[in-house]
Amino acid sequence: MKIGAIPQSVVEWIALKLEIAPRALIDTHAAMLLARTVMAGAELKVFDALAERPLTAAETAAACDSDTTATALLLDALASCGYLRFRDGRFELTRRARHWLLSSGPSVRDKLLLQVAEWRWLETLEGFVRTGRPLDFHASMTAEERELYHRGMRALAGVAAPEVARLVPLPRGARRMVDLGGSHGHYAAEICRRHPRLSAEVMDLPDAIRAAAPLLASEGLGERLVHRAGDAVTADLGTEQYDLVLMSNLAHHLDAEQNRALAVRVARALKRGGAFVIQEPARIERPGSAGQIPALLGLYFAMQSRPGVRTWSAGEMAEWQRSAGLKARRAKRLRTAPGWVQQAAIKP
């Protein structure tokens, strides 16, 4: 998947191909306006206002407590971008908006709300490149941002979790798993629903647990899904305790030495036949061949975390697993999370 200029005519295609049209402006100014327009629609609950029936611009403004003229401009922009449709003087949701942007039900709206904070974090990008000093946003988030962060991560997990649960290898008769840095616990919940005899611990730092506790409780799995306070880098995982250890979106917050040492402790904690599954946006070793999204995420995650951490290649993840005595499998790319891979290894 790639983001960029999409020509709508032969003339535009030629202009882009010959570099007559300034692609850099489309990649920046137009992309910036598109992003903020959709984010504004989510934050102002424009999509919620149109969920029940089509409305005029004035009716939508009244429902959103916003200015009629400015709201009409926002609605027109959203329609031009495929999120709304204008028909018989009224605006209505397209399938795209209804599927992804409503407050109720599965959606990515909370992630869009988080992106307002991420927009501010990205203002430090040039400083990071100049100095090499990252933001370390985990240490600088406000309580409100922390709660929104976990809700945003839960929204993303809601998209990929069914595929994740289907791909995760589990030994026959598996009973116990731990989700390292799992926050909201939705991946673990979906895996438990697919395997009714399985129970899960979701390990995370105390601050994360306080913010994510309502999200875990909303899974409705009771004692089968519980939080466990701990730092995955130092926590004692025991010996032959688990049939599955899942580590999703954590490796890019750790340096190579920490990931390698953690793999050793995970291997010790696994029962024979158990699986260690790492899910990450995968970096490709050769510059320019990673694909657009993985490369952008690599820059973003390095900027936002702490010195020495970055995204890792599937080969590097597999090497940690093999060095811990596990049998690494071939990485699987997630269709529902472009750029992410699931790197699994089995304990012999």
Side-chain angles (χ1 to χ4, degrees):
M1 186 177 294
K2 195 170 184 180
I3 306 162
I6 303 172
Q8 294 181 295
S9 70
V10 173
V11 171
E12 290 178 351
W13 184 87
I14 294 172
L16 289 171
K17 188 70 174 177
L18 298 179
E19 295 297 339
I20 297 171
R23 187 185 296 267
L25 286 181
I26 300 169
D27 287 345
T28 56
H29 186 70
M32 173 182 67
L33 292 173
L34 170 59
R36 289 305 306 221
T37 296
V38 181
M39 289 160 61
E43 185 161 2
L44 295 167
K45 295 190 174 182
V46 166
F47 305 110
D48 288 346
L50 297 169
E52 296 299 324
R53 61 186 179 88
L55 299 176
T56 65
E59 291 169 337
T60 307
C64 297
D65 193 24
S66 55
D67 177 78
T68 299
T69 301
T71 300
L73 293 172
L74 177 63
L75 294 173
D76 183 46
L78 288 169
S80 71
C81 297
Y83 288 90
L84 300 180
R85 184 182 299 108
F86 185 68
R87 184 182 297 171
D88 298 328
R90 296 176 182 272
F91 291 90
E92 61 185 15
L93 298 181
T94 60
R95 184 171 179 269
R96 180 187 309 174
R98 188 173 296 279
H99 190 72
W100 296 116
L101 294 174
L102 298 181
S103 296
S104 58
S107 80
V108 295
R109 179 177 181 269
D110 280 340
K111 177 59 171 67
L112 267 63
L113 300 183
L114 173 64
Q115 285 166 188
V116 176
E118 291 182 294
W119 197 278
R120 295 194 299 272
W121 300 343
L122 278 166
E123 292 173 358
T124 69
L125 178 59
E126 290 83 0
F128 164 66
V129 175
R130 289 191 184 101
T131 66
R133 291 193 296 270
L135 174 65
D136 194 3
F137 79 103
H138 280 293
S140 61
M141 279 191 292
T142 66
E144 181 180 1
E145 287 173 340
R146 191 175 302 279
E147 179 186 352
L148 188 55
Y149 171 77
H150 291 288
R151 284 167 41 202
M153 295 303 100
R154 167 61 181 84
L156 288 180
V159 178
E163 182 184 15
V164 168
R166 178 174 55 82
L167 294 179
V168 161
L170 271 182
R172 187 183 301 275
R175 294 299 182 91
R176 193 178 179 201
M177 72 166 283
V178 61
D179 181 357
L180 300 178
S183 173
H184 47 77
H186 185 61
Y187 287 125
E190 200 68 18
I191 295 169
C192 284
R193 291 188 183 101
R194 190 174 180 87
H195 302 276
R197 294 184 178 182
L198 190 69
S199 63
E201 300 168 13
V202 179
M203 178 182 289
D204 218 320
L205 300 173
D207 285 349
I209 288 177
R210 280 193 290 272
L215 300 173
L216 193 81
S218 70
E219 298 290 348
L221 291 177
E223 294 302 312
R224 288 185 61 204
L225 182 69
V226 297
H227 269 134
R228 172 184 168 185
D231 185 342
V233 175
T234 58
D236 181 8
L237 301 177
T239 302
E240 296 188 357
Q241 296 291 311
Y242 301 103
D243 300 291
L244 170 65
V245 177
L246 174 66
M247 186 170 80
S248 183
N249 294 321
L250 179 59
H252 64 261
H253 293 298
L254 309 179
D255 60 33
E257 182 179 345
Q258 289 173 322
N259 277 306
R260 188 180 299 276
L262 178 54
V264 172
R265 289 187 293 112
V266 167
R268 185 169 59 245
L270 282 173
K271 299 176 185 177
R272 292 193 179 278
F276 177 28
V277 175
I278 305 173
Q279 285 182 178
E280 283 288 313
R283 181 177 64 86
I284 305 299
E285 297 288 354
R286 181 173 174 271
S289 65
Q292 186 189 63
I293 291 178
L296 292 172
L297 289 173
L299 175 62
Y300 177 56
F301 287 140
M303 177 214 76
Q304 69 171 204
S305 194
R306 56 188 182 79
V309 306
R310 57 184 175 87
T311 54
W312 307 97
S313 69
E316 287 169 316
M317 299 177 216
E319 195 276 327
W320 305 331
Q321 295 169 329
R322 283 193 292 266
S323 68
L326 302 176
K327 186 175 181 180
R329 293 184 170 183
R330 185 176 181 177
K332 298 177 180 178
R333 298 196 174 274
L334 299 180
R335 293 183 297 108
T336 50
W340 266 254
V341 301
Q342 188 181 95
Q343 174 59 52
I346 307 300
K347 183 171 183 177

